[in-house]
Amino acid sequence: MVDTVTTRNDDSVSSSGRDLLFWAATKCFYAHGYHGTSVRDITESIGFSPGAMYHHYKSKQDLLFAIVSWFLQESIENTRKAIESAGPDPADRLFHAARSHVLWNASDVMCSFVVNSEIRSLTPENRARNVAQRDTLQRMFDSAVVDGTKNGLFTTPYPLETSRAIVTMCTAVATWYRSSGPLTPSQIADQYGEMSLNLAGFREGYSDQKS
């Protein structure tokens, strides 16, 4: 399964022990699940002894938390940049936020899958911190949909529910995207940007009518 999905290029990964363990854990969690993976599984996959992990991470739980935290923070930053570059128009903000989110999740479907399937395996304290990150990302989408609804650009009667559906839809690309498929990530991202506008009930040409 690992060979058929998009993952980080090994050439781009630092040779530091911490980075090697980070990506080894990601691959093992993806293939076997968090609870089906042992510390020995992770370390032996990169030729380390089990004890070597503890020089970099306190536990397997610490590794999972690092993976989830990193991926969500990068998602937040990518989405923020996309929205800022889109300008003030809510439709542009939503389109580019959705497009960015698809591109990020398609850039490493292995890590995305681990983050979204194994957040449940975090301790309550760690999960609360990561859920707060996820909420920060969600609010950026909420803002675009709510603003567009208020000014008549979007017609959905359920702006917050629509926003959640859009984020869920874009995140789920990681469950099926394969680099060997017929569409590039950019093409998929464009399609999902358009679908996000459709879900929000975008009134095409409304901005032109106002002006």
Side-chain angles (χ1 to χ4, degrees), residues 147-196:
D147 288 351
T149 302
K150 285 180 178 178
N151 69 16
L153 189 64
F154 300 144
T155 60
T156 176
Y158 313 110
L160 294 180
E161 291 80 0
T162 297
S163 179
R164 283 195 291 272
I166 289 169
V167 173
T168 300
M169 175 182 74
C170 294
T171 302
V173 167
T175 65
W176 59 262
Y177 171 72
R178 296 294 182 269
S179 58
S180 58
L183 298 178
T184 67
S186 183
Q187 289 172 321
I188 296 169
D190 285 341
Q191 290 182 354
Y192 272 64
E194 292 176 8
M195 288 191 290
S196 297

Side-chain angles (χ1 to χ4, degrees), residues 5 15 32 40 45 69 77-78 97 101 106-107 117 123 125 142 154 161 167 185 191 198-199 202 208:
V5 301
S15 61
H32 307 295
R40 182 178 295 275
S45 72
S69 297
E77 293 305 318
N78 289 339
H101 198 49
S107 74
S117 64
T123 63
E125 180 181 1
D142 292 349
F154 300 144
E161 291 80 0
V167 173
Q191 290 182 354
N198 290 337
L199 279 174
F202 176 48
D208 296 335

Side-chain angles (χ1 to χ4, degrees), residues 12 143 197:
S12 68
S143 177
L197 293 177

Side-chain angles (χ1 to χ4, degrees), residues 128-142:
R129 293 163 67 183
N130 289 148
V131 167
Q133 288 179 294
R134 197 167 59 183
D135 289 346
T136 296
L137 174 68
Q138 182 65 61
R139 284 193 293 270
M140 289 190 278
F141 282 81
D142 292 349

Side-chain angles (χ1 to χ4, degrees), residues 1 21 31 41 50-51 59 62 113 116 137 142 151-152 157 188 192 198:
M1 180 159 57
L21 286 162
D41 292 331
S59 63
D62 192 33
F113 182 85
N116 290 288
L137 174 68
D142 292 349
N151 69 16
I188 296 169
Y192 272 64
N198 290 337

